[in-house]
Amino acid sequence: MYKKKICRLVLFTCLVFPMIFSAISCKSSPVNEKAMVQVWTTADISQEAPLAYGLAVGDGRQILTVINYEEEVPDTLYVGKPGQPRYPADIKIMDPRNSVTVLYMDKAVFPAADIAEAGSYNAGDNVTVHGWRVTDFKEIVRYQDNIPSIGGRFTLEEGPRNDLPGAIVTGRDGRVIGLLGTDYNTFVMRLGPPGMTSPMIDIHDALALLADSESHVWSQMPVAMVITTRDTLTGHASSQPPDSKYTEITACIQTLLGTMGEPLPADELPAYYRSFSWGDPQNTDGILLSVLYPRPVELRSSDGASAAMARWVGIQWGRSEVKPDRLLYGHVLAGNAVVDGGFVLPGGITSLANLITP
């Protein structure tokens, strides 16, 4: 009898203890793949291949994703998992520096991700990139890499690819430390220069957008700003305005959009804006600030009358031979910035010029 009890105790220990240990291990090493989602547009919702990956955060209704938008930024995207329903999600805010986008859902809730503490990871740390296998978008694969040093890049030989950004990056404790970014920002490329962005976006930089999603909707603000001067074209100056002055620059531009003067004659309009904004350094005249919006913005004259609608504007000042400051504008077609027209800017450029070239 005593031997039987001992045997039962041993059997119970062998069967139950591993289960308890496993449960404790799972709790202490969170698997954030439950928080992973896939994102589609209205146009491709019926397709298996998603537009991007995403991550549920907050109360599980907020989704962080990284989207390399092609044309318009839509009002609604769709979120789901392989083989499951796809739910509508509204775009609340977008970071123009890296296309990180905050979505909000009211028809579904996903498990929220377990986020690593800020400062608990460093360049060179071993990390894991999680994503669905690109061949069928159903099987999750994990790719080991190191956090790149400043200026470094992920090189993905297999697993989730950079053409499907938003895949989660976890540290050694299994907690999320970042999102996979894009190799090229298409919005920035539209205006001329290569739009290189970081391949890993710090999760806390992305989460900072949640605090602004209601009071400061960036989806109505510029998604790309590029400076073109002779120095930027020869590599002796930055082609991007300073991030710290983004809000101030945006406010100045918004004011200028309500000061249109006389329309420019046809012979002052460049045939191809991309070659004009990123062309021969010797032919570059003054300073050109190219600004791209996710949706059309209104241009108005100083008396408040509507002058035009524009997806992008090019503000040019400091031209030779005392030529007037001017604004070019247009739309996007098949990936190109098309010139629709332009106006003289009669005044008020000083504040913007000081922010761009202090």
Side-chain angles (χ1 to χ4, degrees), residues 169-188:
V169 183
T170 59
R172 57 181 177 273
D173 62 355
R175 297 183 176 186
V176 176
I177 65 171
L179 299 173
L180 200 65
T182 60
D183 267 337
Y184 299 91
N185 188 310
T186 306
F187 265 144
V188 178

Side-chain angles (χ1 to χ4, degrees), residues 313-327:
V313 298
I315 302 168
Q316 191 177 22
W317 68 92
R319 303 166 69 198
S320 60
E321 301 175 4
V322 199
K323 295 177 182 176
D325 301 334
R326 62 179 181 173
L327 180 144

Side-chain angles (χ1 to χ4, degrees), residues 5 11 19 21 24 34 43 53-54 75 94 99 142 194 200-202 204 218 220 222 227 235 247 296 302:
K5 288 183 178 180
L11 181 61
M19 296 172 63
F21 181 80
I24 294 174
K34 292 182 179 179
Y53 300 131
D75 293 320
M94 181 175 59
S99 293
R142 301 160 194 87
M200 192 188 83
I201 298 160
D202 186 279
H204 292 281
W218 282 23
Q220 299 299 326
I227 301 170
T247 302
S302 55

Side-chain angles (χ1 to χ4, degrees), residues 40-42 74-78 88-91 295:
W40 293 264
T41 63
T42 302
D75 293 320
T76 302
L77 295 170
Y78 291 85
D90 295 330
I91 293 178
R295 301 181 180 90

